[in-house]
Amino acid sequence: MRKKVAALTIIKQKTKKEKSKNNQNAARTRRQRGYQWEDAIVKRFNNTEKWKAFRLGSPSIALPDVLAVNTEASAIFTIEAKSGTSTSLPVPGDQIERCLSWIKTFDIYEKRNVLLAFKFLSKKRIDVGKYENRELREFFKIWDESIEITDCVCTYEGKFFAKTDGKRKELFLKECQMPFKTKQRTSA
């Protein structure tokens, strides 16, 4: 009897470790996708003539993901970037708020916008470790400062919703014309 219990305990421990390892791998993959998307945005801005962009640091610091500046056009963007394989990508309200506080700090610039940059990867997650192919899509939405800050979500179709008290309300944010080539879908 003891041997059976000991064997069950050992099997249970292995299962927990495997689940923990899978969760760690999934979290690492999500972070890497986010860093790659931020890096791609920075490189695209820096490959244009009048723009300079910078990644501002880790997620633990209260900074936007990317800061892009065009001094000639007196324009500055703070960018919150989201990337993933699901059909919707959430943006917590506090991340929008910190982006807004940054552009308000740089009042010397005439054009100051918070951009929400979404990248829906060309594979869609349908189950654990299972994906199906789809079209890669990117959206660059301009946050409307007249809207109350709340948690939001962007869908694969490019629709944008506020999430308040468990209910979704569609928001109509302008699409930003970027100074570089994108996979934007304005007709979606």
Side-chain angles (χ1 to χ4, degrees), residues 2 20 23 30 38 53 63 85 90 115 118-119 121 126 136 140 146 148 162 168-169 175:
R2 276 189 167 184
S20 175
N23 290 341
R30 278 192 304 274
E38 292 166 15
L63 299 171
T85 59
L115 298 186
F118 300 95
K119 181 176 185 176
L121 299 174
I126 54 175
L136 183 141
F140 295 86
S146 67
E148 182 183 342
R168 286 171 42 155
K169 177 187 171 197
E175 197 69 33

Side-chain angles (χ1 to χ4, degrees), residues 73-126:
S74 189
I76 187 169
F77 296 152
T78 55
I79 302 169
E80 193 59 43
K82 302 293 176 191
S83 175
T85 59
S86 63
T87 55
S88 63
L89 296 171
V91 182
D94 65 313
Q95 293 179 355
I96 296 169
E97 196 169 349
R98 73 179 178 213
C99 285
L100 281 168
S101 68
W102 267 76
I103 61 163
K104 288 176 183 174
T105 302
F106 293 99
D107 58 356
I108 192 168
Y109 292 94
E110 291 174 23
K111 183 179 180 182
R112 298 172 286 157
N113 287 323
V114 171
L115 298 186
L116 304 174
F118 300 95
K119 181 176 185 176
F120 292 90
L121 299 174
S122 60
K123 58 182 183 179
K124 175 186 169 188
R125 186 180 63 237
I126 54 175

Side-chain angles (χ1 to χ4, degrees), residues 23 30 35 46 48 54 57 59-60 77 84 87 93 100 122 129 139 149 180 184:
N23 290 341
R30 278 192 304 274
Y35 298 148
N46 288 337
T48 64
F54 314 89
S60 61
F77 296 152
T87 55
L100 281 168
S122 60
F139 300 100
I149 298 171
F180 48 78
Q184 282 178 278

Side-chain angles (χ1 to χ4, degrees), residues 31-48:
R31 280 193 304 275
Q32 286 173 341
R33 284 184 188 133
Y35 298 148
Q36 289 168 353
W37 177 222
E38 292 166 15
D39 193 49
I41 292 169
V42 168
K43 285 179 180 175
R44 288 179 187 180
F45 270 110
N46 288 337
N47 284 333
T48 64

Side-chain angles (χ1 to χ4, degrees), residues 11-25:
I11 291 172
K12 248 184 176 176
Q13 287 174 347
K14 281 186 177 180
T15 304
K16 284 182 182 179
K17 284 183 182 178
E18 287 173 8
K19 284 183 182 179
S20 175
K21 189 74 170 167
N22 286 342
N23 290 341
Q24 290 172 351
N25 288 341

